Amino acid sequence: MASQPISGAVLSQMLATGVAGVATGALAFVSFVDTRTYLQLVENGKEEIIKGLFPRWWPNGRDMMVSVIGLSVLTHGTAFYLSRNSSWLWSGGFLFCLAPYTMFVLGEDIDDLMRSDEKEVSVKTRRFCWMHHPRLILAALSFSLSLFTLGTRKPTDGKVEIVYADSE
């Protein structure tokens, strides 16, 4: 059973799809676990916990997502360059949009939660949690488009013909 090595174009597309999956998974966890936990703390009058936790939680999440978004832009750009399929630019663009969305839409709430008093924490936490969900939608769009593009790839994408192993 002879097989050909995976081309750089195919490998870059697989990596881009994987990174989009990591971003989507991380943001799904935040939307379905972290934000729900924060909202429960607010509902139970435990703003002091958020006040102490958020300044520790946010920098770690930010650092992870900066790495994931940077790697995503790199892998999606490489997938486009090697395949010339513009779908990779679209899926990478959805993930890239997470950065300006976070800076401009969530930035004020993040700054306030990093140094707010307990009265502000309740309002800012609710807003931050609800405004976080569009990030998951963008990441899920990127991951879905990446999966679709990878799944509908022609064997000759990237100017390298893929020869599949015989079934013998």
Side-chain angles (χ1 to χ4, degrees), residues 2-163:
S3 65
Q4 295 287 328
I6 295 176
S7 71
V10 173
L11 183 60
S12 68
Q13 294 168 25
M14 292 169 64
L15 288 172
T17 302
V19 173
V22 169
T24 303
L27 291 170
F29 188 87
V30 172
S31 283
F32 294 115
V33 178
D34 291 347
T35 61
R36 290 175 70 190
T37 302
Y38 283 157
L39 291 172
Q40 288 171 359
L41 289 169
V42 167
E43 289 169 15
N44 293 316
K46 303 288 185 185
E47 287 86 356
E48 71 278 355
I49 294 174
I50 296 171
K51 188 172 167 35
L53 177 63
F54 192 86
R56 290 162 181 78
W57 174 84
W58 168 250
N60 295 320
R62 176 203 58 215
D63 293 349
M64 180 195 161
M65 290 310 294
V66 165
S67 300
V68 169
I69 291 169
L71 186 58
S72 174
V73 169
L74 178 67
T75 57
H76 281 80
T78 303
F80 166 72
Y81 178 76
L82 294 175
S83 72
R84 297 297 184 221
N85 184 335
S86 62
S87 293
W88 295 110
L89 290 179
W90 282 102
S91 57
F94 288 138
L95 286 172
F96 174 78
C97 287
L98 295 173
Y101 179 86
T102 302
M103 288 172 49
F104 298 118
V105 176
L106 293 176
E108 183 180 337
D109 292 332
I110 291 166
D111 291 342
D112 289 344
L113 285 167
M114 293 291 283
R115 56 177 160 58
S116 64
D117 62 25
E118 287 179 28
K119 284 188 236 179
E120 291 179 314
V121 168
S122 176
V123 172
K124 295 298 182 177
T125 298
R126 282 187 175 94
R127 179 175 148 74
F128 172 82
C129 289
W130 288 113
M131 296 306 289
H132 192 279
H133 300 307
R135 296 177 68 195
L136 173 57
I137 294 167
L138 281 171
L141 282 171
S142 173
F143 185 45
S144 298
L145 181 57
S146 295
L147 284 171
F148 177 79
T149 305
L150 185 63
T152 58
R153 180 185 54 77
K154 294 183 213 80
T156 56
D157 280 354
K159 315 281 190 289
V160 176
E161 187 169 334
I162 309 300
V163 178

